[in-house]
Amino acid sequence: MPNPIKLTSLTTKGGCGCKIGPADLDQVLRTLPPAVKDPNLIVGLETGDDAGVYKLNDTTALVQTVDFFTPIVDDPYDFGQIAAANAISDVYAMGGTPLTALNIVAFPIANLDKSILADILRGASDKLREANVTLVGGHSIDDQEPKFGLSVTGTVHPDKIQTNAGAKPGDQLILTKPIGVGIYTTSLKRGLLDEGEIANVTKVMATLNKVASETMQRYTVHACTDVTGFGLLGHATEMARESGQEIVLSFNDIPVLPRVRALAEAGAIPGGTKNNFDHVKGNVTFSEELDQIDQYILADAVTSGGLLMSVPKAEADALLQDLQDNNIAASRIGEVISGNAGHIQVN
Ligand code: CO
Ligand code: CO
Ligand code: CO
């Protein structure tokens, strides 16, 4: 039953409900006093990694992350599922096992049917069950504009943490979901998608990175991150910079949602995507064949995207096959070279 209220139309004036851009965030964080040094903090703010990791003892570290946003689809149940899959993803990207979650809710409780909120929470709760994550609580505020997300806690062995910093020359890069999600969700708000396309992008976003992460942990993966708000180029640039390597991407091998180019040409490029592009363009060399639209697609802000893994060449074929055998639409999209640290080439 389609809900009569279009959740994505409830955005109030100002802001886009998207992630604050990397440039703005850098400016704010730079003004903070240096954090207190704690020897147990293994992964903190500095590396732009997916989640914080805090060592409890020699065999266990906590993985903690939080994510929330305004509705990106109109169906409340789907929105809840996507928000949960997205929030848990940062634990999977670190090679961790998610254990518990807390809901974060903002909702206009006096003006919107309470069943909408119930559906959002039911979507999240079903997704948490699929991930074997226990909901332990949450917090809600009455707010004009709906927002939803979760804080997720997991564990990882301190020696088995996947960060974005370990990529080595010769590694192959594997991506486990298509990009173009930001252009799709902007198109959805503008009524440019048909039912099948809405169902397709919803399924992509609601798919857990659980199996991808568990599969990856059977191989020697040197670095991993999930592709989300900063886009493929943004997260790849962070990996290249933190690893001190250069990354070469092959445009034609990068999986993109169907009709993304046409939707982008129709103007459905989110502001966040343009900000992402402006932030990374100084570190990226594009093939002459790639025009501005192609370049925006590569920088497109993703919600609940796939894992980007850097894997030694000798294991890349086997990992790719293993992922595909597990029904993951994984692709080899490029490689790591020693060269200009933090630089990306797109061929
Ligand atoms: Co992430
Ligand atoms: Co995140
Ligand atoms: Co990571």
Side-chain angles (χ1 to χ4, degrees), residues 206-222:
T207 298
L208 289 173
N209 283 326
K210 180 177 196 284
V211 179
S213 177
E214 288 167 354
T215 306
M216 153 179 100
Q217 287 168 48
R218 296 197 289 271
Y219 295 82
T220 319
V221 171
H222 287 148

Side-chain angles (χ1 to χ4, degrees), residues 11-343:
T11 303
T12 50
K13 63 231 161 270
C16 62
C18 53
K19 194 157 171 166
I20 291 180
D24 289 328
L25 207 52
D26 281 352
Q27 275 187 32
V28 175
L29 295 178
R30 224 182 292 132
T31 66
L32 296 181
V36 179
K37 289 262 182 287
D38 183 331
N40 291 318
L41 181 64
I42 307 176
V43 178
L45 267 179
E46 306 77 31
T47 63
D49 222 311
D50 300 297
V53 183
Y54 190 87
K55 184 173 165 180
L56 296 178
N57 55 49
D58 287 345
T59 55
T60 309
L62 277 182
V63 185
Q64 294 182 284
T65 184
V66 58
D67 251 298
F68 67 97
F69 40 65
T70 54
I72 45 162
V73 292
D74 287 315
D75 184 277
Y77 179 84
D78 290 342
F79 176 45
Q81 285 219 313
I82 292 165
N86 178 65
I88 304 169
S89 176
D90 281 332
V91 178
Y92 292 134
M94 304 302 286
T97 303
L99 296 176
T100 60
L102 298 160
N103 282 331
I104 299 160
V105 176
F107 194 77
I109 199 71
N111 306 330
L112 268 193
D113 197 319
K114 291 176 187 61
S115 71
I116 295 174
L117 178 55
D119 285 346
I120 295 172
L121 297 179
R122 195 167 48 83
S125 148
D126 284 355
K127 194 48 73 175
L128 292 177
R129 190 169 307 120
E130 183 187 333
N132 292 320
V133 172
T134 303
L135 184 70
V136 296
H139 183 69
S140 52
I141 59 165
D142 189 354
D143 189 1
Q144 261 194 297
E145 182 183 59
K147 300 173 189 80
F148 180 68
L150 305 96
S151 163
V152 181
T153 300
T155 56
V156 66
H157 192 292
D159 301 335
K160 296 194 171 144
I161 300 164
Q162 289 295 347
T163 70
N164 58 10
K168 292 184 171 55
D171 281 3
Q172 306 289 295
L173 293 169
I174 292 175
L175 178 66
T176 66
K177 285 187 189 182
I179 61 169
V181 169
I183 290 165
Y184 254 62
T185 53
T186 298
S187 301
L188 185 153
K189 285 183 197 171
R190 298 191 187 167
L192 300 174
L193 299 185
D194 65 33
E195 289 294 320
E197 289 169 331
I198 294 173
N200 184 31
V201 71
T202 298
K203 183 165 178 249
V204 167
M205 292 188 286
T207 298
L208 289 173
N209 283 326
K210 180 177 196 284
V211 179
S213 177
E214 288 167 354
T215 306
M216 153 179 100
Q217 287 168 48
R218 296 197 289 271
Y219 295 82
T220 319
V221 171
H222 287 148
C224 179
T225 188
D226 57 350
V227 173
T228 54
F230 297 153
L232 174 61
L233 287 182
H235 293 282
T237 303
E238 282 185 334
M239 184 180 280
R241 187 187 62 227
E242 295 301 322
S243 301
Q245 310 295 343
E246 179 162 350
I247 281 176
V248 182
L249 298 176
S250 164
F251 184 78
N252 290 326
D253 294 333
I254 296 169
V256 181
L257 287 167
R259 220 165 64 83
V260 158
R261 166 115 203 156
L263 294 166
E265 280 171 349
I269 301 173
T273 292
K274 291 180 178 170
N275 288 343
N276 283 346
F277 176 77
D278 287 342
H279 190 67
V280 297
K281 66 183 178 195
N283 297 315
V284 184
T285 310
F286 294 97
S287 148
E288 283 171 15
E289 276 138 52
L290 302 177
D291 67 7
Q292 183 63 64
I293 297 272
D294 294 324
Q295 298 178 20
Y296 279 144
I297 290 171
L298 292 172
D300 190 36
V302 177
T303 299
S304 196
L307 299 182
L308 176 65
M309 308 169 181
S310 182
V311 57
K313 195 166 195 171
E315 293 186 46
D317 286 340
L319 173 54
L320 193 60
Q321 188 64 52
D322 205 349
L323 289 165
Q324 289 168 353
D325 289 346
N326 282 291
N327 293 318
I328 294 164
S331 311
R332 184 194 313 240
I333 64 164
E335 62 180 346
V336 179
I337 61 171
S338 63
N340 196 344
H343 192 263

